[in-house]
Amino acid sequence: MMKSILDQINSIIEQVNKLPNGNTKIELMEEAIRLADVHQRPDIGFDLRDQLMTVATFCGAPEKTLVAFSWCLAQCDQNPEEFDQLQLLWKYKWVVSSLKYFPHIRLDQINQAMEDMTKRYQGCGLGLRPVYKLACEHAMARKDYPQVKHFQRLWRSSPIGSGNDCAACERDSQVGYYLFDGDIDRAFKAAEPIVTGQMKCGEVPHVTLPQLLVPLLRRKDYAKATHYYFWATRLLKYNPDFISEYGKILTFLALTGNPNEGLPILEAMLPAVMETKALSRRFYFQLGTSLLLHYLQESGSEQISIRIPKELKDLLEKDFAGASGAKEIDKKSISLQSFIQWVDADLQRIATLFDKRNGTDAFTRNIEDSKNDRELFCLIPLKAVD
Amino acid sequence: MEHQFRINLQGIIDLLSNNLYGESRVFIRELLQNGVDAIQARSQLIDKGADGSALGDSLRDNDINFGHLKIELIPGNSGSLPVLSFVDDGIGLTEEEVHRFLATIGQSSKTSNLWKARENFLGQFGIGLLSCFMVSEEIVVITRSARSEDAPTLEWKGRSDGTYKIRVLNYSIEPGTQVYLNCKPGCESMFELDELITNLVYYGGLLPYKIEVISGKKRQIINPEGIPWHQEFPSETKKIEYLLEYGKKTFDVDFIDAIPLRSKIGKVDGVAFVLPYAPTVAQNPTHRVYLKQMLLSEKAENLVPNWAFFVKCIINVNDLRPTASRESFYEDEKLQKTREAIGDNLRNYLFHLHRTQPDRLRRVIQLHNLSIKAMALENDDCFHMFMDLLTFETSKGNMTFGEYRRSTDQIRYVTQLDAFRQIAPVAAAQQIQILNAGYVYEEALLEKYQALHPDDELQKIQPSDLSHDLEDLSIEEREKSHHLAQLADVVLQPYHCMTQIRKFQPDDLPVLLTIDGEAEFRRDLDRSKEVANELWSSIMDHLSPAASISTYAQLCFNYRNPLVKRLISIRDKELLRRCIEMLYVQSLLLGHHPLDAKEMKLLNRGLLGLIEWGLNQIPMKDS
Ligand SMILES: Nc1ncnc2c1ncn2[C@@H]1O[C@H](COP(=O)(O)OP(=O)(O)OP(=O)(O)O)[C@@H](O)[C@H]1O
Ligand SMILES: [Mg+2]
């Protein structure tokens, strides 16, 4: 006898529940979804996609969330009796937020998505605060100052409805806004409940701490910076969802002269960085990588020995070997010069994609700003020799 | 004119008990803490005397023998509710101190710099005593200070309405403090002997001073043995036996083994118990942590390395800073080093097993494959020692990495579960060994292997790569099948599928369909696009740059298969097209791939067409 489809799906879900978030979990969920689709069970497919969205979002696969979401939204529209839109709308925030990672999605499409979200949130009485917050964040990503101010005002003056982010996430966004605005004091004030542990959730303080590292260096509060560094690395656990955050960690390590702490992170995260479709995340990671590699080069290194994904290795050998004096890349170590060239070209390439889409120079300026951060350099030995 | 804030004590108590303390039994922790602190303070007093200062000189002789907590329960009867007393022979309080510390919320005698070893105290906030109001309307404290011989015996009565009374008693007690609580209605369970003992053991089981419970004629020492892992044993085996028994008593789990832990940094020691089951992520083991031998938390989360989820630990910490929530420690280099030291303990245990009891090690690894994988990833020594012992799925069944490595000249692996499923049976039939590295940590482990063994050429393959390993056609065979190859490519192009013709086992398999990760994602995306509204469908179109070759599926015809051989001999193009389409759709169905609308149409049209074609054959034969 063939196992019934429900049994098959249940046994997959059972496996899934035992796993930590990660690719394996995503793949198993997708397999279950395919089974449901083959057997034309949209009801099961809906629930499974709902779960997939959570896993994919927190494992750094936002494109999979988006695809699952579109499918679910369509089901709700076509069969409002059968499918509960409310449950789905909570996740609309994740999806709209993720649109900023993909440079090929047009601005007008993003705006339309936000309009659609507005309509649906209003229709269900969820409140528009989270929509304004998202709009503000999108504007920040492209450094559109008037729009940032406009939406920030709307965001902070709208009531907290039932569709709102959790208090910790909301607080984290406020910290992000003050940092963007250059109001460092208020950023730290706002971060207080997060860094004292009063406000926390699945991703806070994980995403908050890395944001504060460079500002702390700027304030010369090295003790706190070190503490936050240790705390953050303990929480982030090389999760591909935190690619941008790791970029900030790398920046911190470069600015404090700790390449030996940085290289293992580079090694662990590069496969995810190469794989991600979320290009802006890759961009923020590469900002840190670039600083770290330049630091190494300036302190006299020519080769580094870290493990890099095969496709990157091929690339370095093929396209970036020339300028390094045709130095052979041996099996263990790679030429710093070609690595740097690749990273900087990658940064430029991604920046151009986004700037073209946005009609601004925000990303190119990010590269400049990041270079200027080098003046914050201060040697802080993190691993005292014992 | 200035005024003083007034505080509604009842309000504060409600606040604390609902938000800070969580459960009412913590009053036991607070009373134990205060008793221990008082004894600590008294011994510092004496030490001071020994240092030559004036204080304590006169006390030294008769005060050597103290350090004892007595808890007495007077059960209630029909007319009265039970009463509980906590008696210590610590430093006691003078009248001035009673006003200043006992009766002032938020004032603590322990934060003053006058103390030589202030960090030895457990209390610091000056609010612990308030927790007693959760179980008693009134707190009575009888105390006599050990600071001077003629100190009076004082009685302080504090009420939860915020008032207190103090008077001098006309008799003298031994130096120390007695706290009396009258059971509040509704809190009877806290005043039951069994419950009381359980709670005392829970919080104070490891405390360094003798703790005794008395009820009627019954007397029991709560901590007769002190810290279990500090005791002397005739042999290592005896020690482990004892610790396992202690683990069983504490957690009611039959652990497989007990690993002593010790770190100089953080002044940490304890035991790690090896779990008899592999924990799922949802039930990741939590650890019980004591701070200076007093229970701090049942679920401390950052003292043990992330990868160590094969153990549950009991740990005593002397020199790390707890965070305000008391559920973790302050993250800094010291904590990180402590964590590393604990990690070293666990690794050394496994290394030791490796040398002395390899069979046992194998069992532990089998049970805790995931945790050991995480560990091997983290640490090169572990990797060298354990990688070969870890179990993987391969196209020839489950085997350890060592077995696999020895049985093949080339290590080849796929990193997606679905990819493995697509090709494993065919690979097995060709005697090609493929490793499934689709489960958690496995891909990273293989990458690490490659990095550590640069001379072994590891190959990460996509399902479609398998066709390179399948036998190629000869020139004649190629010529003969050329028209099939050409037509198949044209026919399946709209479905994002490329084709090939090869020879492979088993003969009865006509085609092998492989869909790589990217192609699978495109199929999922297309399926969403079919139903999605205009907006989202157009967004999905722009999700990533234009489709590349990697988003194509691959259909490989088997030249050995009789059906395929017959296809090659068909000259009717229309019929051949139908057959190709049907083989494609059928292999999708076999692989549990949902059909998109176009493919569905293909299936329907194809079936009808074949039926029609079949029917057409009949009259022709008849005539
Ligand atoms: N058993 C005792 N012997 C001597 N003094 C005591 C005793 N219990 C309480 N005190 C005094 O009362 C003060 C208040 O006690 P309380 O438990 O409220 O605060 P704490 O122990 O100082 O700090 P925490 O709030 O962290 O417990 C103490 O600082 C101490 O001076
Ligand atoms: Mg106390």
Side-chain angles (χ1 to χ4, degrees), chain B residues 22-39:
Chain B
E23 32 177 12
S24 56
R25 65 172 176 167
V26 299
F27 81 94
I28 292 180
R29 177 183 77 196
E30 296 300 330
L31 287 174
L32 283 173
Q33 270 191 13
N34 285 349
V36 169
D37 282 346
I39 292 169

Side-chain angles (χ1 to χ4, degrees), chain A residues 27 31 67 227 230 277, chain B residues 331 336 417 421 518 528:
Chain A
E27 277 171 37
E31 186 187 328
V67 168
H227 167 45
F230 279 115
K277 292 189 163 52
Chain B
E331 285 285 354
Q336 206 186 18
L417 298 174
R421 240 161 268 146
E518 275 298 298
S528 273

Side-chain angles (χ1 to χ4, degrees), chain B residues 24 28 68 93 95-96 112 116 151 214 216-217 232 389 434 436 451 459 467 483 509 529 535 548 553 555 623:
Chain B
S24 56
I28 292 180
H68 188 173
L93 292 160
E95 181 160 356
E96 192 250 355
S112 149
K116 193 173 61 188
I214 304 162
K217 286 203 190 81
E232 302 273 339
L389 302 176
I434 296 201
N436 181 3
Q459 217 185 4
S467 60
H483 68 288
L509 188 69
K529 248 171 54 186
L535 169 63
S548 63
L555 192 71
S623 58

Side-chain angles (χ1 to χ4, degrees), chain A residues 2 8 15 17-21 23-25 27-28 30-31 33-35 37-40 49 63-64 66-75 77-78 92 95-96 99 102-106 108-110 112-114 116 120 196-197 200 223-224 226-231 233-235 237-238 261 271 275 277 307 309-310 331-332 381-386, chain B residues 265 279-282 284 301-306 324-325 327 330-334 336-337 339-340 370 377-378 415-419 421 438-441 443-452 454-458 460 517-518 520-521 524-533 535-545 588-589 592-595 600:
Chain A
M2 269 270 283
Q8 284 181 57
Q15 268 189 70
N17 289 337
K18 289 190 193 141
L19 292 173
N21 277 352
N23 276 342
T24 311
K25 200 165 177 166
E27 277 171 37
L28 286 170
E30 289 178 324
E31 186 187 328
I33 290 171
R34 277 177 214 128
L35 273 173
D37 286 4
V38 166
H39 291 85
Q40 313 205 352
R49 280 178 171 88
E63 70 282 1
K64 298 202 162 164
L66 193 153
V67 168
F69 176 82
S70 317
W71 188 93
C72 290
L73 195 67
Q75 303 298 331
D77 288 348
Q78 283 156 25
Y92 213 148
V95 179
V96 167
L99 294 179
F102 309 106
H104 301 280
I105 296 177
R106 296 190 316 260
D108 65 291
Q109 290 175 319
I110 296 179
Q112 280 171 35
M114 235 141 17
D116 183 61
R120 289 177 197 262
T196 52
K200 58 180 171 183
K224 219 178 229 152
T226 317
H227 167 45
Y228 289 179
Y229 161 76
F230 279 115
W231 188 3
T233 45
R234 165 76 180 177
L235 293 173
K237 297 184 183 165
Y238 297 138
E261 304 293 302
E275 210 168 286
K277 292 189 163 52
R307 191 155 34 103
K310 176 133 194 329
K331 276 192 171 149
K332 271 199 193 129
L382 285 175
K383 280 271 164 71
V385 232
D386 22 12
Chain B
I265 301 167
T280 67
V281 183
N284 237 348
E301 34 121 3
N302 63 352
L303 197 52
V304 173
N306 280 333
S325 72
E327 255 156 40
Y330 187 80
E331 285 285 354
D332 56 8
E333 195 194 350
K334 194 158 152 192
Q336 206 186 18
K337 288 214 164 116
R339 211 153 44 208
E340 275 165 24
L370 202 61
L377 206 53
E378 191 100 352
T415 58
Q416 287 185 313
L417 298 174
D418 189 53
R421 240 161 268 146
Y439 290 102
V440 189
Y441 307 128
E443 180 177 2
L445 279 172
L446 287 164
E447 279 169 5
K448 181 157 186 161
Y449 181 89
Q450 174 73 86
L452 295 173
D455 297 328
D456 294 10
E457 193 60 46
L458 263 69
K460 170 172 156 182
E518 275 298 298
E520 198 87 80
F521 177 63
D524 291 345
L525 187 139
D526 282 351
R527 236 163 46 250
S528 273
K529 248 171 54 186
E530 262 168 25
V531 291
N533 62 29
L535 169 63
W536 285 99
S537 156
S538 80
I539 286 179
M540 279 188 280
D541 276 336
H542 290 77
L543 193 51
S544 46
L588 278 175
L589 289 175
H592 300 296
H593 299 287
L595 304 186
M600 198 58 113

Side-chain angles (χ1 to χ4, degrees), chain B residues 29-31 33-35 37 108 110 122-129:
Chain B
R29 177 183 77 196
E30 296 300 330
L31 287 174
Q33 270 191 13
N34 285 349
D37 282 346
S108 170
K110 300 160 195 176
L122 298 161
Q124 49 181 336
F125 303 113
I127 52 171
L129 200 63

